[in-house]
Amino acid sequence: LPRLSFICSQAPPPKPSHLTSLSLLYNEDTDNTCDIRLKLTKEVLTIQKQDVIRIGGGESHSDVHLLRNAGDEVTITVQYFRDAPSFLKLPLGSPEPRSDHSSRTPSPLFDSGFHLNGNSNHRVPSSPPSPSANEPKYKKCWVGAVSLPLLMARVSRCRAGTDKLRSNCFEVLALNGERSSVLQFCTAAESTDWIQSISNNINNLTLENMKTINKCFAPDDQIIHMGWVCDHLQTSDSPPHCFKFLALKGSSVYIFRTPPVSTLDWGRAEAIHNVCEVLFKTHKLWIAEDCWIQSKLQLSHHHDCEAQGSKAYSFSVLLGHGQSHSFSVELGSDLTIWEKSFQRAVFMEVQRTRSKTYLCSSQGKILCFTIDFESGFTCSESSTKNIVWKYKFSQLKGSSDDGKTRVKLLFQNSENKQIEMKELEFANLTAVLHCVHSFIAAKVASMDPVFINSQNISRKHTHS
C-alpha cells in the first residue's frame, strides 16, 4: 500500500495584495520590449503604457472646438515632430525640450490644418505662429492600457506550445479571454515576487467565490478547493500540456476545461472521480543550482526560484485501472495547498461515508470486501452475508498485488501473532487499494490533534 504522509506545516508569510512597479512588455514575435507600469489591487491587474499628453497652450481649446463641430468624419493631417526623439528619452513628467522657436513649426505634433467631412477642399487655415507663452506643452505619463480581472484568472510561465519556462517572465490570462501578454522582469526573484502576489490575490478571490457558491450546496457537498492546473498530456499526438480547472467538491474530484460558473456546470465536467478511489502523489522538485545558491544568500527568497521545467511543482492523481493525470502548478505554495486540500477532502469523505463495500472473488466464491472506519476489514459471503474473516486496520502488516486484479493482504492474528494471507480478486483493484489507503490515512489523521485542528480552521474559512 502507498506510504502515508500528512502536511501540517505553517504557511509562508503572505505577499502584499497591492503592488506598483515598473516592468517590460515583451513581444515574442518581434523580440522587442516596451516600458510598462504594473498596478496590482485585490481584484484587478492593470498594465499601463507611456503616452504623451498636452498640458498647456493657449490655442488648444479652440482646436478641440474644431473637432467638436466637424461632423461625423474628420481627416487630420499630421506633421513630423522634430523634437520627439529627445523628448521621449526624458523622465516621466518632464516638460518638452527647449528648442529654437524661430525654426519651429506652429504645432509640435501636428499642424492645425484639418480636412473635414472627407472634403479636401474644405480646409481650415493654419493658425499663425503664437507667442512662446501660448505654445502647447506636453508631458509623458502612464495611461491605462489593459485591466485584467483576477477572479478565476491564471498565471503561466510556460512558452506557448512547449514545456519550457520563460526566463524572468510570465503571462496573466483572465477568465474573459483577455491576457496581459508577456511581462518581463529584471530578475527571477522579482518575477517570482509578482507571481506570488498575483496568485495570492487570485486564491483569495477564489476563496470568497467558494463561500458564495457553497451556499447553494448541501453541507456534505461543499467545495473544498479549486483552481487552474497545467495538465501534462501523455499522448504523443497531443501538445505537451494544456490548462484545466481542477476542483474538489463533496465526494468527487472534478476536471473542467473552463471554470464552472453555475450549479448546472458541475454536471458538465470533463471527468469526475471519487476522491476516496484516487491517490494524490507529489513529484520530486528539480530546482536550478543557482536558485539554491540564491535562496541561501537571500533568506527572504523562499521556495519559488526559477525552475528547470514546467513540471517543477507537479503532482499526479492516480486513478483506477492504472490511469492517471499529471498536473503542475506555478508555485510551491500552490502545490502545498493542493496536497492539504486532497487530504482534507479524503478525510471528510471517509468521515461521511464511514464504510465502502466492493465485490470480489476468492477461490471461486463471490464475496463482499468491506472497509469500515470503525471496525477495519471484513470479508463476507455475498449471498448469505455470513462473515468469512475480519481484521482491524492495525492488523494489516503488508500487501502485494499483480498490478491487474489480484492482491494478497497480510494480517497478523491477534491471538497467536502469526501472519495470515488473504488473496482476493477485484474488477478494479487500483480503486480498491486507493480506498484502503484513504481509510487508513483518515484513521491515522483522526488521532492527530494538530491535523484535526487544522481541518476545523479550514472548514470555518470555507463556510464563513
Side-chain angles (χ1 to χ4, degrees):
L1 291 173
R3 179 176 57 88
L4 303 180
S5 62
F6 300 97
I7 299 293
C8 297
S9 59
Q10 293 182 348
K15 289 292 180 180
S17 60
H18 290 70
L19 285 178
T20 300
S21 76
L22 301 182
S23 178
L24 294 174
L25 196 65
Y26 175 62
N27 189 319
E28 290 183 305
D29 295 329
T30 63
D31 199 31
N32 293 327
T33 60
C34 66
D35 293 329
I36 58 171
R37 183 170 70 172
L38 297 178
K39 296 184 68 176
L40 176 67
T41 64
K42 178 183 177 181
E43 298 179 345
V44 176
L45 174 67
T46 301
I47 303 170
Q48 296 179 311
K49 293 184 178 181
Q50 287 183 339
D51 200 359
V52 178
I53 65 170
R54 191 171 188 168
I55 60 172
E59 298 184 2
S60 61
H61 298 291
S62 62
D63 291 347
V64 171
H65 175 71
L66 289 173
L67 286 173
R68 199 161 35 225
N69 297 286
D72 295 334
E73 295 183 6
V74 176
T75 301
I76 302 177
T77 303
V78 299
Q79 181 174 318
Y80 173 67
F81 180 21
R82 181 174 56 82
D83 292 325
S86 59
F87 175 78
L88 293 175
K89 293 179 181 178
L90 294 177
L92 279 174
S94 299
E96 60 177 317
R98 301 181 64 179
S99 62
D100 183 5
H101 296 293
S102 62
S103 62
R104 203 165 163 178
T105 57
S107 175
L109 293 182
F110 50 84
D111 68 11
S112 57
F114 290 15
H115 299 291
L116 304 180
N117 297 324
N119 184 355
S120 61
N121 295 324
H122 189 159
R123 180 180 178 89
V124 178
S126 299
S127 301
S130 56
S132 176
N134 290 328
E135 286 185 357
K137 294 180 174 59
Y138 301 86
K139 74 172 184 179
K140 289 191 295 183
C141 66
W142 296 109
V143 295
V146 177
S147 293
L148 300 173
L150 296 180
L151 179 61
M152 300 296 185
R154 61 181 174 90
V155 179
S156 175
R157 289 184 291 174
C158 288
R159 295 180 184 273
T162 72
D163 269 340
K164 296 181 180 180
L165 296 182
R166 298 183 177 103
S167 177
N168 305 346
C169 301
F170 63 87
E171 193 173 7
V172 181
L173 301 96
L175 181 60
N176 61 9
E178 288 190 273
R179 56 199 310 158
S180 66
S181 295
V182 180
L183 306 177
Q184 188 178 71
F185 297 84
C186 295
T187 65
E190 186 181 7
S191 174
T192 298
D193 284 342
W194 267 94
I195 291 177
Q196 289 177 331
S197 295
I198 293 173
S199 297
N200 185 60
N201 286 11
I202 293 174
N203 290 337
N204 288 338
L205 290 172
T206 300
L207 183 59
E208 293 296 325
N209 192 38
M210 284 168 46
K211 294 177 182 178
T212 302
I213 298 174
N214 278 337
K215 295 177 182 178
C216 302
F217 295 110
D220 60 353
D221 196 26
Q222 299 284 290
I223 303 171
I224 296 171
H225 186 57
M226 60 183 183
W228 287 101
V229 294
C230 184
D231 188 0
H232 298 273
L233 305 175
Q234 318 246 340
T235 57
S236 58
D237 58 345
S238 60
H241 67 266
C242 65
F243 287 93
K244 299 293 177 67
F245 195 81
L246 192 64
L248 293 170
K249 174 177 168 289
S251 62
S252 302
V253 183
Y254 294 80
I255 301 175
F256 297 92
R257 291 185 181 273
T258 58
V261 294
S262 70
T263 54
L264 294 178
D265 289 340
W266 290 92
R268 301 166 183 163
E270 188 178 84
I272 303 176
H273 307 287
N274 186 285
V275 72
C276 285
E277 295 182 349
V278 303
L279 184 66
F280 179 95
K281 180 181 179 182
T282 58
H283 297 283
K284 182 177 180 180
L285 303 183
W286 292 95
I287 298 186
E289 183 177 353
D290 59 339
C291 292
W292 286 115
I293 298 174
Q294 187 176 17
S295 64
K296 290 178 181 178
L297 295 177
Q298 301 179 9
L299 296 179
S300 61
H301 189 47
H302 293 285
H303 314 288
D304 301 310
C305 298
E306 178 94 10
Q308 291 181 340
S310 62
K311 297 183 181 180
Y313 304 110
S314 60
F315 62 93
S316 291
V317 178
L318 306 181
L319 311 175
H321 299 292
Q323 298 178 334
S324 66
H325 290 283
S326 179
F327 300 117
S328 67
V329 290
E330 293 294 335
L331 300 171
S333 56
D334 291 336
L335 183 62
T336 301
I337 290 173
W338 276 113
E339 186 165 11
K340 289 182 177 180
S341 298
F342 265 89
Q343 289 181 353
R344 183 183 169 203
V346 168
F347 180 79
M348 292 177 64
E349 178 61 11
V350 170
Q351 291 289 308
R352 187 184 70 84
T353 59
R354 309 300 290 182
S355 69
K356 290 275 286 186
T357 299
Y358 296 90
L359 285 177
C360 63
S361 63
S362 178
Q363 298 179 346
K365 295 182 179 180
I366 303 299
L367 304 175
C368 291
F369 177 71
T370 300
I371 312 164
D372 187 88
F373 183 76
E374 299 296 339
S375 59
F377 305 101
T378 302
C379 197
S380 59
E381 294 180 353
S382 175
S383 56
T384 63
K385 306 301 180 184
N386 293 330
I387 296 177
V388 179
W389 49 259
K390 186 174 183 178
Y391 297 96
K392 296 180 180 180
F393 287 120
S394 59
Q395 292 178 267
L396 180 63
K397 300 304 179 182
S399 67
S400 62
D401 61 84
D402 62 358
K404 298 178 181 179
T405 60
R406 295 184 181 182
V407 62
K408 295 179 180 179
L409 301 175
L410 304 178
F411 297 101
Q412 185 178 51
N413 189 294
S414 58
E415 296 179 356
N416 57 26
K417 307 302 180 183
Q418 296 296 311
I419 298 297
E420 299 173 351
M421 183 188 74
K422 304 298 180 182
E423 184 171 353
L424 302 172
E425 186 170 356
F426 296 90
N428 189 348
L429 175 62
T430 308
V432 176
L433 294 181
H434 290 169
C435 190
V436 171
H437 176 273
S438 296
F439 271 74
I440 293 178
K443 190 70 174 180
V444 174
S446 67
M447 297 180 285
D448 183 352
V450 176
F451 178 82
I452 296 299
N453 184 57
S454 68
Q455 301 314 298
N456 292 333
I457 293 175
S458 298
R459 194 175 294 111
K460 289 179 181 178
H461 287 171
T462 304
H463 298 289
S464 61

